[in-house]
Amino acid sequence: MAKSWNAGIKEAFESHGSQYAIVANDDIVFHKDCLDAMVAAADAGHRFVNCQILKDPRDLASRYTEGGFSLFLLGAECIRAAGWFDENFQPAYYEDTDYFRRMQLVCVRQHVSKEAGFYHYINKLGDIANSPNHSTI
């Protein structure tokens, strides 16, 4: 997971000259205002932006919890301060916990945007059985 995150983030910053990189799981549905709200928070000076997980992707009032690392935005300054995701975590899990801790150590604060939300189908890597779209035959 960390290796693919790093590759995508490097692509955004180095090849495209972006100020920010957005990393998203492949099992989410964005609220219509989600990406604009994330960028607005970054433009306001937040170096790491997180969102709300929603029970209904059409309704920001259906907040369930904070999104963790299912969807996040980070700026180049966050990478300069906290470094890249540690690719020694294989195949996945804990690279996000490690990164969050390193952000805390260098005083990069997570900003949770109340205006940015998404619906997460699985809410757990590989936990297809608990997906609302999962059916057994």
Side-chain angles (χ1 to χ4, degrees):
M1 189 73 88
K3 186 174 184 175
S4 61
W5 284 356
N6 285 340
I9 294 164
K10 284 179 187 176
E11 178 77 14
F13 293 152
E14 295 172 6
S15 298
H16 299 284
S18 300
Q19 294 176 302
Y20 317 121
I22 294 176
V23 178
N25 281 17
D26 64 354
D27 61 344
I28 65 170
V29 176
F30 298 98
H31 178 271
K32 65 181 179 67
D33 299 325
C34 182
L35 298 176
D36 288 338
M38 292 175 77
V39 171
D43 285 344
H46 299 288
R47 298 186 284 175
F48 186 92
V49 180
N50 211 316
C51 306
Q52 303 287 318
I53 296 179
L54 307 174
K55 294 178 184 176
D56 179 345
R58 298 163 296 188
D59 183 11
L60 273 178
S62 71
R63 289 182 181 98
Y64 172 69
T65 188
E66 294 176 5
F69 282 78
S70 302
L71 171 63
F72 60 94
L73 174 151
L74 72 165
E77 288 185 20
C78 185
I79 292 291
R80 283 192 286 277
W84 296 96
F85 286 90
D86 187 340
E87 296 179 12
N88 291 309
F89 292 99
Q90 295 290 332
Y93 301 116
Y94 304 111
E95 69 279 347
D96 50 1
T97 303
D98 169 70
Y99 199 79
F100 186 70
R101 180 68 179 135
R102 286 190 285 129
M103 284 177 19
Q104 290 176 322
L105 291 171
V106 295
C107 299
V108 173
R109 300 186 72 154
Q110 171 186 231
H111 172 75
V112 179
S113 174
K114 304 300 182 197
E115 294 77 34
F118 66 96
Y119 178 80
H120 193 186
Y121 276 96
I122 296 175
N123 228 1
K124 192 172 176 186
L125 185 65
D127 189 9
I128 295 171
N130 290 328
S131 169
N133 291 336
H134 174 75
S135 62
T136 51
I137 298 174

